[in-house]
Amino acid sequence: FIYFIATIIAIVFIKIYSFNHLPYYPDQDLNNYLGILNLISTTLLLYIAVRMFKQENLKYSKEINLQRTLLEEKNKDILASITYAKRLQDAILPPLSLIKKTLPESFVLYKPKDIVAGDFYWMEQIENNILIAAADCTGHGVPGALVSVVCSNALNRTVKEFHITEPGKILDKVRELLLETFEKSENNVQDGMDISLCCIHTHTTEIEWSGANNSLLYFQNGILQEILPDKQPIGKHINPTPFKTNKINFQKGDIFYLFTDGFADQF
């Protein structure tokens, strides 16, 4: 910039000088002189521009490399935390070996979209009753996983502490426990879950089922049938009502499907 200003000033002075001393500076000589001066000034300007561009480029390259290094470190820390959180979430899930031992002709399809998930499955055996559920908590990833821990704990308390085994009454109690937990917060927490909960009576041929926004599908005599859930979540609701318990007589060969909307809602 300084060279550019100096060149402009020099050209102006040469012009003024040439008007006062034309006999001594013919036009052709003046043009040649100005041409050389312009060539020198242009070369200097290009050199300065290249140097400045190179310096700025190096400066931004250093900043970009620094930002990339910081992002990689942050990403590494976040992934490490989430991966460890997955170990904690896996601890609340019943082992597949236990499910297979309790229900030999069963399967679990569980594919979290993220490392941790808001969906979880749950099972508990109380005497002759096998309780099993597929639940979908509000939120995805880490928030959903945190809610799933709260909801799983509420299910465990309802069955083990309050000794409730009827699916509809279990959902009523779980809703009560969830509301008590979230009401302690000063924030307006409205998280909860949808669930499909089944109770298999091993000493009879009857299954009891209750659902919050998630239905039950089952094959019986080669016909696919569906039981619709209560259209309310486990959590805050405008007009909460007690959950219904549906009873189904089963026979050998019947297939029951408990599921969330996690798989069906994928693009």
Side-chain angles (χ1 to χ4, degrees):
F1 180 76
I2 294 172
Y3 275 114
F4 178 72
I5 295 299
T7 303
I8 296 297
I9 294 172
I11 290 173
V12 170
F13 273 106
I14 290 171
K15 282 286 187 179
I16 295 172
Y17 186 80
S18 65
F19 285 134
N20 296 327
H21 303 83
L22 281 176
Y24 304 102
Y25 294 92
D27 289 343
Q28 187 62 38
D29 292 341
L30 181 63
N31 288 337
N32 290 338
Y33 180 76
L34 290 175
I36 293 171
L37 188 62
N38 285 337
L39 180 62
I40 293 172
S41 63
T42 302
T43 303
L44 287 171
L45 286 171
L46 285 173
Y47 174 75
I48 293 168
V50 170
R51 285 295 302 271
M52 290 178 66
F53 176 77
K54 187 177 180 180
Q55 290 176 358
E56 288 295 313
N57 191 40
L58 288 173
K59 176 184 174 183
Y60 287 124
S61 294
K62 289 180 180 178
E63 290 182 1
I64 290 171
N65 288 332
L66 178 61
Q67 293 295 328
R68 183 174 61 185
T69 302
L70 291 174
L71 283 173
E72 287 175 351
E73 290 177 357
K74 289 290 184 183
N75 187 55
K76 184 179 178 181
D77 292 342
I78 292 170
L79 283 177
S81 296
I82 296 175
T83 302
Y84 190 79
K86 176 177 171 56
R87 292 178 58 191
L88 298 177
Q89 188 181 35
D90 287 346
I92 72 170
L93 300 176
L96 294 177
S97 58
L98 177 62
I99 295 177
K100 276 290 185 181
K101 181 179 178 181
T102 308
L103 300 169
E105 297 184 56
S106 64
F107 74 93
V108 175
L109 177 64
Y110 183 64
K111 292 187 174 184
K113 185 178 179 181
D114 301 309
I115 298 174
V116 290
D119 286 18
F120 71 97
Y121 52 94
W122 175 86
M123 190 188 77
E124 192 65 48
Q125 185 167 7
I126 306 295
E127 296 178 351
N128 294 321
N129 301 316
I130 300 173
L131 292 158
I132 187 164
D136 174 16
C137 298
T138 53
H140 301 280
V142 175
L146 290 173
V147 178
S148 74
V149 173
V150 176
C151 292
S152 177
N153 181 59
L155 284 167
N156 288 328
R157 284 190 62 196
T158 299
V159 173
K160 295 179 180 179
E161 184 178 331
F162 297 97
H163 308 291
I164 302 173
T165 56
E166 184 181 324
K169 292 182 179 180
I170 290 176
L171 299 190
D172 290 334
K173 189 62 180 180
V174 169
R175 175 167 57 191
E176 179 186 329
L177 294 174
L178 251 61
L179 292 177
E180 285 179 3
T181 301
F182 291 137
E183 280 175 355
K184 297 174 184 176
S185 172
E186 294 180 353
N187 301 316
N188 185 22
V189 180
Q190 298 188 10
D191 293 293
M193 68 172 170
D194 298 335
I195 190 171
S196 178
L197 173 64
C198 182
C199 178
I200 304 169
H201 299 291
T202 56
H203 60 294
T204 67
T205 58
E206 186 178 68
I207 283 179
E208 292 182 326
W209 176 86
S210 185
N213 287 329
N214 287 343
S215 60
L216 170 71
L217 292 178
Y218 67 99
F219 272 102
Q220 192 170 69
N221 298 321
I223 300 174
L224 177 64
Q225 302 185 59
E226 179 179 13
I227 300 180
L228 297 177
D230 290 281
K231 291 298 181 181
Q232 56 180 347
I234 306 293
K236 280 190 176 181
H237 191 58
I238 298 173
N239 185 27
T241 58
F243 287 94
K244 294 179 296 184
T245 296
N246 299 272
K247 296 183 179 182
I248 310 156
N249 289 316
F250 68 90
Q251 55 193 10
K252 185 175 178 61
D254 290 353
I255 307 174
F256 294 83
Y257 293 96
L258 307 176
F259 54 91
T260 69
D261 61 2
F263 184 79
D265 281 358
Q266 297 304 309
F267 292 108

